[in-house]
Amino acid sequence: MVPSVDDSGPAVLVRARTRSRVPTACTGCGMLSGRCHSRYVRGLAHASSGDRPVLIELSARRLFCENTAGVKATSAERVPGLTAHSQRRAPAPAGGRSCGGLVAGRGCRRS
């Protein structure tokens, strides 16, 4: 979900949030969990939109693992195609496209 996009500064700032009620797999054992421990904001750099950089502020959940025999008590939520462990940059969009509009749900222009 993208609650806001601010393009008034030198960079385009996309504020995004994961959905609260969607279960996510634990990064330790793979078991699905929807019990939220807390939220945190993660900053990601994205491919530029024209000559301006795109920054993504992603509010993601930290979830309790439901597996009592699991290796982790909590795990950080990951967004497929956007985040990975310790990643600081979002992957470049497929097809040579570049812009924050991909995240914001708007059309992108080819580079």
Side-chain angles (χ1 to χ4, degrees):
M1 177 169 67
V2 179
S4 72
V5 177
D6 180 6
D7 62 353
S8 62
V12 177
L13 177 61
V14 178
R15 287 189 178 91
R17 180 180 172 94
T18 58
R19 295 179 187 225
S20 297
R21 305 220 189 270
V22 178
T24 302
C26 172
T27 57
C29 70
M31 181 177 261
L32 290 178
S33 175
R35 276 184 55 212
C36 186
H37 174 276
S38 59
R39 276 197 172 270
Y40 68 100
V41 175
R42 182 173 182 177
L44 295 166
H46 197 276
S48 63
S49 175
D51 60 347
R52 296 170 63 197
V54 176
L55 306 174
I56 302 169
E57 283 185 356
L58 176 65
S59 173
R61 298 174 294 171
R62 179 163 287 285
L63 301 164
F64 287 106
C65 180
E66 303 289 337
N67 184 357
T68 55
V71 294
K72 293 183 167 189
T74 64
S75 67
E77 180 176 36
R78 295 192 183 146
V79 178
L82 185 63
T83 61
H85 181 67
S86 299
Q87 182 178 325
R88 299 263 186 243
R89 293 191 166 279
R97 293 174 181 255
S98 65
C99 80
L102 183 67
V103 175
R106 299 184 205 156
C108 298
R109 66 182 113 142
R110 294 222 175 244
S111 36

